[in-house]
Amino acid sequence: MLTNAEIASATTAPRRARKSKNLEERILNHAKSLASHGFFSKAVSALMRDRDEPEVPEDEKVLLLRRLHPKRAEEVSKCISTGTVELTLKTTPTKNATTTEPQLKTQVGRWCSGKAAGPSGWTEELIRDSITAQNQPDWLAIFEDIVNASLSPETLRLLRRCNLLGIPKKPTGIRPLAMGETIVKLAVKLLLCNQKELFDSHAVGRFQFAFQKCGTEQIIHAVRELLRPAPPPSTTPSQVTA
């Protein structure tokens, strides 16, 4: 368990500032946030991106999102599991062999990509910076509790929350984008690293090539088979004699 000193010194999630109504200001703020975390290429892309998408008023955007996602009773069935999953960290060679960084911190750092946070405000970078050699077992235990659903119903409900964003879609439509909790995404990534069989076609679906090894090649071969012309009908001996 975390000590009181670790809790007091832990990095806190930043308070989300009120969203600016000015489009140019929002673009600059987004680029500054990416650059501050070292994602300079993404910051440049955010500044250079074409901004000719239609402007949708906030009230109309909320109305469209409510139509796409009507309020309904939440029913979540518990997954059938053969037992409790135990997450382990596999040692991987690094360029700097003398590094003393905790292994979980290094693993999470590889997944940091400057993505937006969920309702809690925790990002991949914040979680990475919060992991130390002393609290690494506690963080790993939290991830295990998430993948095994070994938490209270209220906590599980909070972890299922997301920020629903409305992205303008030409000509007058809207595309919903759900931003879930980052800690859940990291727990799933750790689970997939430990359970390689979850990448098999029987686990993720026959056509989910993105989760399978050499998935791109499988897509190419499948498309080629569909586009291949059918062979001409064979000639039978009766047709030759006729």
Side-chain angles (χ1 to χ4, degrees), residues 44-242:
V44 173
S45 300
L47 293 173
M48 301 301 293
R49 191 178 304 159
D50 188 13
R51 301 292 174 178
D52 61 346
E53 62 265 11
E55 280 289 331
V56 181
E58 290 295 326
D59 295 341
E60 183 179 348
K61 189 182 296 185
V62 172
L63 181 61
L64 290 173
L65 287 174
R66 284 177 176 171
R67 290 177 180 175
L68 291 171
H69 296 271
K71 186 176 181 180
R72 59 183 180 272
E74 183 183 29
E75 296 181 5
V76 180
S77 56
K78 191 174 181 62
C79 297
I80 300 176
S81 177
T82 57
T84 303
V85 176
E86 183 178 354
L87 299 179
T88 58
L89 298 173
K90 297 182 179 180
T91 305
T92 55
T94 59
K95 295 181 180 180
N96 186 9
T98 61
T99 181
T100 58
E101 186 176 71
Q103 191 173 350
L104 181 59
K105 187 185 188 77
T106 303
Q107 185 67 54
V108 173
R110 294 194 184 103
W111 295 325
C112 291
S113 57
K115 293 182 180 179
S120 67
W122 281 90
T123 62
E124 296 166 336
E125 291 75 22
L126 279 172
I127 294 177
R128 176 200 60 195
D129 296 340
S130 299
I131 298 174
T132 64
Q134 291 74 25
N135 64 24
Q136 176 176 270
D138 299 313
W139 274 105
L140 197 59
I142 292 175
F143 289 130
E144 284 186 357
D145 287 340
I146 292 176
V147 299
N148 289 298
S150 303
L151 300 168
S152 66
E154 177 63 20
T155 302
L156 293 175
R157 187 188 70 80
L158 292 175
L159 290 174
R160 289 195 297 268
R161 295 185 306 166
C162 67
N163 291 328
L164 189 59
L165 310 178
I167 309 300
K169 183 179 179 181
K170 295 181 181 180
T172 58
I174 194 170
R175 180 170 65 91
L177 181 64
M179 304 301 300
E181 287 293 355
T182 301
I183 192 171
V184 177
K185 299 176 185 178
L186 293 177
V188 172
K189 289 181 179 179
L190 288 171
L191 174 64
L192 293 176
C193 289
N194 282 261
Q195 306 287 332
K196 296 296 184 182
E197 64 274 10
L198 294 178
F199 286 102
D200 296 339
S201 58
H202 71 275
V204 299
R206 180 183 175 188
F207 298 104
Q208 295 293 333
F209 297 106
F211 297 94
Q212 302 179 33
K213 190 176 182 179
C214 302
T216 304
E217 295 182 8
Q218 295 183 44
I219 294 174
I220 294 174
H221 291 308
V223 172
R224 283 181 174 176
E225 288 296 326
L226 291 173
L227 298 179
R228 192 187 304 275
S234 59
T235 305
T236 61
S238 61
Q239 291 175 329
V240 175
T241 57

